[in-house]
Amino acid sequence: MSPESKPQEPNQPLHPRTRAVHHGIRRSQYGEMAEALFMTQGFSYDSAEQAEARFLGTGPDEFIYARYGNPTSRMFEDRIADLEGTEDAFATASGMAAVNGALMCFAKPGDHIVSSRALFGSCLYVLDLLARFGVEVTYVDGTDLEQWRAAIRPTTRAVFFESVSNPTLEVVDIAAVAELAHAVGALVVVDNVFATPVYSRAARQGADVVVYSATKHIDGSGRCLGGVICGTRQFVREVAEPYLKHTGGAISPFNAWMMLGGLATMELRVRAQADSALQLAAALRDEPGIARVIYPGLPDHPQHDLAMRQMGAGGTMVALDLGSKQAAFAAMDRMRIFQISNNLGDAKSIVTHPSTTTHQRLSEEVRATLGITPGLLRLSIGLEDAGDLIADIRRSLG
């Protein structure tokens, strides 16, 4: 019997893979094995007094309306918070609902936020929206600690960044940025989608709030939308939840139920995808027709050492620069296994042309600054055989 397969001692902590299957289960009186789906928008009360107690938060059962909370949603929240190592979590309707909620719930006119400039296009939109509402936003090169140090000031309310940037796969030093932010009392908000909950150590490395698009690796099969905000109980329940429940950002119970199923297989999927991503990136490094392969798991990546320290792996995403938009489009159209789409973290491998899709709203100058060249392709590696994926890319190069 291997050490991993030995029975757990009574007080020995369970491994993440086990907790992802069992933690937070809430069984009904019927004792069902699978997580129950409570497909209801409201809840009834035995008496007017009970209704009053629930709305006051003093009753034994906190559920009053699906926009405020639901037993299925709470199972998902409890499970992902446990995996992430935070006190609590609030599940949202989408990943962008989570980003929007995590920032909007506390920001007010006059606040100052420092953000990495390398962000998903919709994240940049939310920050632009905050700026329209009177929040000052300063953008920095997320990989340059001196720029963070210069931008963060005593009045800074929060810092925000993607731990691994979309789509150029730059890696931000969470612990170092958190130390600078915490020195002035600023909140550290991290979008951890590319790192995934499997390789995530964001909360342990100093993040106060960790945001995921559950649509990606957590669901893992391209079936539904969802997001989650992880943090302290005080932040989640007293700051984020009031904003989200009153503005309608809560997850559907059905989607939360789907995410629970995704969590059970997430580690197996993500580790297999990351293994294939490394094989593909290594195989294509010297391939004719590819100007550059970007993958944090390769030794020539500028933040390779940091990625290994921070995540322990390179992740499931690879970027290829084919030199021109024409070459990129021609390769995409020749691919047979990679599907042209703008999602990621799926069981199916996906290819995206960021400059004409996910980041097309950015100016050409900004895209150039971020390294989003006309020939850049973002690859989300799925569960197919790595050899087949490599052959598909090579065939597509013509």
Side-chain angles (χ1 to χ4, degrees):
M1 183 179 286
S2 68
E4 289 188 358
S5 64
K6 288 182 179 178
Q8 297 281 328
E9 296 297 328
N11 296 321
Q12 184 178 345
L14 296 173
H15 294 90
R17 212 163 98 185
T18 305
R19 300 202 307 272
V21 176
H22 292 284
H23 187 81
I25 193 76
R26 289 169 177 253
R27 286 193 171 92
S28 74
Q29 68 271 32
Y30 300 110
E32 63 279 346
M33 277 293 292
E35 291 84 358
L37 171 56
F38 292 88
M39 205 65 191
T40 179
Q41 86 278 33
F43 301 84
S44 66
Y45 315 107
D46 295 333
S47 66
E49 288 78 14
Q50 185 187 60
E52 179 186 38
R54 287 199 196 177
F55 271 81
L56 288 172
T58 59
D61 195 336
E62 67 272 37
F63 300 115
I64 57 177
Y65 194 62
R67 183 159 44 86
Y68 288 32
N70 174 281
T72 308
S73 303
R74 187 59 53 82
M75 280 191 274
F76 172 58
E77 292 166 350
D78 289 347
R79 195 167 294 179
I80 192 67
D82 176 71
L83 290 174
E84 197 61 28
T86 57
E87 291 179 348
D88 212 337
F90 191 91
T92 61
S94 68
M96 283 315 305
V99 171
N100 178 72
L103 295 172
M104 286 283 188
C105 69
F106 68 83
K108 62 183 186 303
D111 281 351
H112 178 235
I113 294 177
V114 182
S115 172
S116 172
R117 66 191 180 195
L119 297 172
F120 177 51
S122 294
C123 293
L124 289 167
Y125 180 88
V126 171
L127 289 169
D128 289 346
L129 193 62
L130 283 167
R132 283 164 48 190
F133 291 160
V135 175
E136 183 183 358
V137 181
T138 301
Y139 292 100
V140 299
D141 178 345
T143 66
D144 188 340
L145 282 179
E146 292 307 311
Q147 289 194 29
W148 284 105
R149 185 174 284 109
I152 294 171
R153 52 194 193 226
T155 55
T156 300
R157 184 75 187 279
V159 300
F160 174 66
F161 56 91
E162 296 172 352
S163 55
V164 181
S165 70
N166 181 3
T168 52
L169 307 180
E170 296 177 349
V171 184
V172 177
D173 191 331
I174 298 173
V177 175
E179 184 178 1
L180 295 173
H182 289 158
V184 299
L187 200 67
V188 178
V189 183
V190 177
D191 183 333
N192 219 28
V193 169
F194 277 30
T196 80
V198 173
Y199 297 118
S200 165
R201 293 165 178 79
R204 279 176 279 168
Q205 291 164 345
D208 300 299
V209 181
V210 183
V211 177
Y212 286 104
S213 171
T215 309
K216 310 303 189 290
H217 302 90
I218 294 173
D219 170 36
S221 297
R223 299 171 299 185
C224 59
L225 298 177
V228 66
I229 300 171
C230 303
T232 64
R233 187 158 291 111
Q234 185 275 333
F235 180 85
V236 170
R237 296 301 162 187
E238 297 178 24
V239 183
E241 181 183 309
Y243 174 82
L244 288 159
K245 72 183 184 182
H246 291 300
T247 55
I251 196 170
S252 155
F254 180 81
N255 288 19
W257 181 72
M258 296 286 280
M259 299 303 175
L260 282 163
L263 282 177
T265 61
M266 179 180 65
E267 180 169 332
L268 296 171
R269 288 185 285 102
V270 168
R271 291 193 184 279
Q273 290 167 308
D275 286 346
S276 292
L278 177 58
Q279 291 181 56
L280 183 142
L284 298 177
R285 287 171 72 182
D286 300 317
E287 189 71 24
I290 298 179
R292 185 185 177 198
V293 176
I294 307 171
Y295 183 63
L298 292 179
D300 61 0
H301 188 281
Q303 294 94 42
H304 171 72
D305 291 342
L306 172 62
M308 293 302 103
R309 233 176 26 248
Q310 193 159 283
M311 299 191 299
T316 68
M317 307 295 296
V318 179
L320 306 177
D321 195 334
L322 303 192
S324 69
K325 176 183 173 181
Q326 181 180 9
F329 272 32
M332 292 170 75
D333 289 343
R334 292 190 195 106
M335 291 179 189
R336 299 176 187 172
I337 300 174
F338 282 88
Q339 302 295 301
I340 300 174
S341 183
N342 50 291
N343 192 28
L344 60 96
D346 199 311
K348 300 177 180 67
S349 290
I350 291 170
V351 58
T352 305
H353 188 249
S355 67
T356 57
T357 57
T358 57
H359 292 71
Q360 58 81 26
R361 65 177 291 270
L362 304 180
S363 68
E364 187 175 344
E365 180 182 3
V366 171
R367 288 199 299 270
T369 301
L370 296 176
I372 305 173
T373 62
L376 189 74
L377 294 179
R378 187 190 75 187
L379 306 179
S380 173
I381 307 304
L383 293 176
E384 303 93 345
D385 179 83
D388 288 341
L389 295 177
I390 293 167
D392 197 37
I393 296 291
R394 284 176 171 158
R395 184 172 51 246
S396 76
L397 297 175

